Amino acid sequence: MNNMVIDLRGCSEDELIRICQEIGLKRFRAIQLFQWVQQKAVRTWDEMNNIGKGDRQALRSHLHLYPLERVREQRSEDGTRKYLFRLEDGETIECVLMDYARTSSRDRHTVCVSTQVGCAVGCAFCATGLEGFRRNLTVAEIVGQVLDITHFVRQEDPEFQVTNIVFMGMGEPLLNYDQVLQAILLLNHGQGLNIGMRRMTISTSGVVPRIIQLAKDNPQVGLAVSLHAAQDKVRNDLIPMNRRYPLAQLMEACQEYTQITHRRITFEVALTAENAKREEAQALARLLRGQLGHVNLIPVNPVAGTGMERPDPELMRRFAQVLEDAGISVSSREERGVDIDAACGQLRRQWEGELK
Ligand code: SF4
């Protein structure tokens, strides 16, 4: 066994079994350890009270446990909570918990997870994109966001369970592909938080080769595509990724994705005062003809420095009507946490601004 210290929160159960075997501990220790971290969401070794001190000491010399530091937490009137977490190297990321009361017996608690520090894609409407790319998150840091939110909320509500995950926070998940897929396996694990594959959704700006790869590697997980415009000349300005993978290629990949997975793709369309127009809606209807999908309209959150303005609700309604008339399934995303800067990257920008 080498002396490299491994991130405990990023370890699979099999890796922990292997490590335990190598240091002379029984298999059941690995399973206990996995449950403490991935199911009970503890943040310290001392809380693992069914693992003897000696064994804990042996494990600590091979495994590193670093909980994220909660730098700031904002709570919205609608129940949305937004967290700013500091990572071990001092970088900060955002993460949002949205609580949706449902008519059925169980509540839905969705965590919006970040996958990178900053983002290289540089979408015109996004506060994260304005800051540029810093680095990919590790598996431990991706899973850690869900674990730490679980830990903090359970201090008030011991029964709390995250039910859904959207990889829609800071960063382009498909540009940190391997880590995101491993994090999904951990979050889905039966001895962990046990979040169903179909309750997790990856949102992409359109990394075409990875969309097809995802269909083959994990056809169960959901896919959302940030479409935002149906014409290349408009989308090129909103999402620079479109210059590399224009709409024709993107839609071809989406067709292939649905052929492999038989799953409906969610197409996200952020509407601004500028693009909520009839011609855009008609172009979108033409683009999506024959595609198994659903359109989610999102009124853009105003972000300082982007010059974007929220559209009039009547314009949004008319936009949706054009799509419905063309037989396309459409909904408008409920606005969450508008009073707490819930758009991705805003809290981090504000906090970094205060430090300057
Ligand atoms: S919207 Fe997503 S992909 Fe675009 S810049 Fe922001 S974080 Fe990156």
Side-chain angles (χ1 to χ4, degrees), residues 119-123 125-126 128-129 169-172 205 344:
C119 184
V121 178
C123 300
F125 47 82
C126 173
T128 302
M170 299 168 67
E172 164 54 68
S205 59
C344 144

Side-chain angles (χ1 to χ4, degrees), residues 107-164:
D107 283 347
R108 189 165 97 192
H109 303 293
T110 302
V111 176
C112 177
V113 172
S114 290
T115 54
Q116 298 181 311
V117 181
C119 184
V121 178
C123 300
F125 47 82
C126 173
T128 302
L130 291 174
E131 303 290 325
F133 175 72
R134 306 269 253 270
R135 70 170 173 86
N136 279 328
L137 294 186
T138 63
V139 178
E141 289 166 339
I142 298 170
V143 173
Q145 296 166 64
V146 186
L147 294 175
D148 285 326
I149 285 184
T150 299
H151 176 90
F152 292 129
V153 180
R154 279 185 187 165
Q155 289 175 333
E156 297 166 26
D157 172 8
E159 302 298 312
F160 175 80
Q161 288 286 354
V162 172
T163 60
N164 296 64

Side-chain angles (χ1 to χ4, degrees), residues 265-303:
I265 296 174
T266 300
F267 293 97
E268 308 273 359
V269 178
L271 289 183
T272 65
E274 194 53 35
N275 73 353
K277 293 187 179 132
R278 185 173 179 80
E279 311 82 72
E280 267 297 315
Q282 287 168 330
L284 189 58
R286 280 195 299 275
L287 186 78
L288 296 179
R289 196 176 293 144
Q291 170 68 48
L292 186 61
H294 172 84
V295 173
N296 193 12
L297 299 176
I298 313 152
V300 82
N301 272 321
V303 175

Side-chain angles (χ1 to χ4, degrees), residues 298-324:
I298 313 152
V300 82
N301 272 321
V303 175
T306 62
M308 303 272 170
E309 278 181 42
R310 187 180 287 268
D312 188 274
E314 178 55 23
L315 285 180
M316 279 193 65
R317 202 195 54 71
R318 279 192 233 152
F319 196 99
Q321 193 60 52
V322 172
L323 296 175
E324 272 172 25

